[in-house]
Amino acid sequence: MMAGKLDQRITIQDKSVSRTAMGDEQITWTDVETVWASAEPLSGREYIAARQAQADITIRFRMRYRSWMTPTHRILWRDKPYGVVEVIGIGTRRADLEILAFGDAAT
């Protein structure tokens, strides 16, 4: 992928779950890394096809390959959280990642 297409700053976050003194679950998101990426809202046809495979996929992020990136992470873009649905290595050398995500991820 050409570096010029990676024109958006996104922050990858990791989820931590702990218990309060009352036994309630408390979720905390911690920043892992801020990287350059492209952010592409899905077109109408792509959105319909994506909804058939996974509910509520609304955006595609592309970035340089990170071996540790999984659907347990979330992406923060323009101060809005996006839940990761699928992480796909692109190409035979896995130089890039395509991340399918949905908006309004749980906080």
Side-chain angles (χ1 to χ4, degrees), residues 35-53:
V35 300
W36 289 104
S38 68
E40 306 164 14
L42 297 182
S43 69
R45 180 177 292 166
E46 289 174 315
Y47 180 72
I48 291 168
R51 284 188 60 94
Q52 291 173 352

Side-chain angles (χ1 to χ4, degrees), residues 13-17 25 27-30 32 72-74:
Q13 297 183 318
D14 195 20
K15 181 179 179 179
S16 299
V17 180
E25 191 175 89
I27 297 173
T28 306
W29 291 95
T30 306
V32 175
T72 62
H73 293 94
R74 83 173 181 183

Side-chain angles (χ1 to χ4, degrees), residues 33-76:
E33 187 175 8
T34 299
V35 300
W36 289 104
S38 68
E40 306 164 14
L42 297 182
S43 69
R45 180 177 292 166
E46 289 174 315
Y47 180 72
I48 291 168
R51 284 188 60 94
Q52 291 173 352
Q54 297 282 343
D56 300 323
I57 294 174
T58 59
I59 193 161
R60 175 190 305 122
F61 295 101
R62 292 179 192 235
M63 61 184 232
R64 297 284 183 230
Y65 187 77
R66 303 290 191 277
S67 62
W68 48 264
M69 183 76 186
T70 68
T72 62
H73 293 94
R74 83 173 181 183
I75 292 175
L76 195 62

